Amino acid sequence: MAINIKRPNGTEDVLPKDIHKWYTIEKIARETAESYGFSEIRVPTFENTDLFLRSVGETTDVVQKEMYTVMAKESKFTLRPEGTAGTIRSMLQNGLLNEALPQRVFYILSCFRHERPQAGRLREFHQFGLEMAGSASPAADAEVISLAKKVLDRLGIKKIQLYINSIGCPECRAKYHEALRAYFSAREDELCDTCKERLVKNPMRLLDCKSEICQEIGKDAPIILDYLCEECSDHFEKLKKYLTCFGIEYNINPRIVRGLDYYTKTVFEFVTTEIGAQGTVCGGGRYDGLIEQLGGQKVPALGFGMGIERLLLVMEKQGCDFIQPKKCDIYFATMGDAALEKAMSLSQQLREFGYCAEYDLIGRGLKAQMKYANKKNAAFTVVIGDNELESGVVKLKEMTKGDETEIALNEKFVDNFDAVFVDKMFEQLDDVSAAKLFGQMPSEK
Ligand code: ATP
Ligand code: MG
């Protein structure tokens, strides 16, 4: 049998040329979460399979079709298909819920689901997500939604809609399930096999079915908002009021039920039509029963997950800005061993200041070294040979314009380089960004 060592279907390599895009999203996500009082948590990549059966729900697509489960000796483990279950498990196991509430944690992690790979739908994908535990107030729902919105705004993503719904509590849902059963039973024969089973076990899942026929049949199904109890209805009304306070526009979509069983009351999605069918970049909601279901106290909680690959697709499509990738600041082209040693010691000093410094490690000739420096887009180059070592002076060459500055090869080298480098930075700034930097309007200059 031929061996296959290629990347598995539905996984992606992130290459060095694209990593700054990931850094941009991770940085903005972290900073925004921290500005709302959230701290990062890191949990294992795999958990006991039972954890996901208990939390995500046995009748969900994730559990029924998408989990990567391995038998290891006597135990059954599953690669996490989402971040909430492991995070709540960790909060319980480490007693975080006995500390000051609400507890607020966020994470950036990989998830694994055995789905049909396509644009925006992978088998290994990444989420920025968070969980807030300990508040039952709709103000917490508004807080979490506003945080998600802030991340999207700071990333520069436009044309994105917020959809909200309430899927009630177990009490309202019992009545709603009956209504759904009555509605779908009339066309039971036409439903997909999975949905036939769902009709008995968990009829709300029918509304989340991706099959065309089930979606078509579900179009006129009763909506949950007509079945909310007073408390759930009041919660939803307050959420809408608070979102308005934040100045966040929303649409109500009573069809959103979300693909995981643990949700109660508020559910929400941020959706864009810019990247084809997989346009949901963020999904989340409240899950007031989950912590108790996993063996903890009755602590209300909520959270969301944002798909990083989908964020990237939208950002690329919309031409959003990314943090600039780190470039080579200075390249030493050396001739001879003494020059190499000089370059080595100067590079170490420059790196202490945060500069990226490089020199030849292959033994190339001068011409080939300059070619390499060009390929790496080095901002400055310096040639060091016997003459330079003897005179103690080198020419620092700025590579875009070709300007040369003489600087001494002494203990002031780094300071002098720093001064030239900063000058060049200012030269490159246009009027508007210079004004921003100095806090004045261009007209005041
Ligand atoms: P979908 O309806 O698109 O399958 P979902 O309801 O299964 O999404 P969640 O479990 O709520 O998604 O996950 C939160 C977010 O993670 C989604 O909104 C999406 O951005 C991202 N996501 C989910 N599954 C995938 C996947 N297979 N590949 C890439 N991103 C994904
Ligand atoms: Mg899914």
Side-chain angles (χ1 to χ4, degrees), residues 62 66 81-82 111-116 118-128 208 210 258-260 262-263 268-270 277-284 304-311:
V62 170
E66 300 169 3
E82 49 95 65
C111 300
F112 306 84
R113 297 185 191 178
H114 194 272
E115 307 201 64
R116 196 167 67 78
Q118 50 200 293
R121 192 173 291 288
L122 296 157
R123 290 181 173 171
E124 179 182 16
F125 63 98
H126 296 78
Q127 276 189 0
F128 157 61
D208 199 37
K210 303 278 191 292
R258 313 283 310 121
L260 313 166
Y262 46 64
Y263 288 114
F268 65 92
E269 292 182 346
F270 283 91
Q278 323 308 326
T280 308
V281 298
C282 175
F304 67 71
M306 233 182 232
I308 297 185
E309 285 84 355
R310 290 188 194 175
L311 289 174

Side-chain angles (χ1 to χ4, degrees), residues 252-297:
I252 296 169
N253 179 355
R255 305 256 153 233
I256 300 178
V257 294
R258 313 283 310 121
L260 313 166
D261 262 357
Y262 46 64
Y263 288 114
T264 51
K265 292 186 177 153
T266 310
V267 286
F268 65 92
E269 292 182 346
F270 283 91
V271 184
T272 172
T273 51
E274 299 258 282
I275 50 170
Q278 323 308 326
T280 308
V281 298
C282 175
R286 180 169 275 287
Y287 48 86
D288 288 345
L290 179 64
I291 295 178
E292 200 179 17
Q293 209 171 305
L294 291 178
Q297 313 92 303

Side-chain angles (χ1 to χ4, degrees), residues 320-336:
C320 297
D321 285 337
F322 293 104
I323 295 168
Q324 284 306 304
K326 183 78 188 146
K327 278 198 329 193
C328 175
D329 295 317
I330 179 166
Y331 182 85
F332 294 98
T334 59
M335 286 176 291

Side-chain angles (χ1 to χ4, degrees), residues 431-436 439-445:
D431 278 359
V432 174
S433 40
K436 263 193 208 157
Q440 57 181 184
M441 295 305 291
S443 57
E444 292 170 1
K445 282 181 61 185

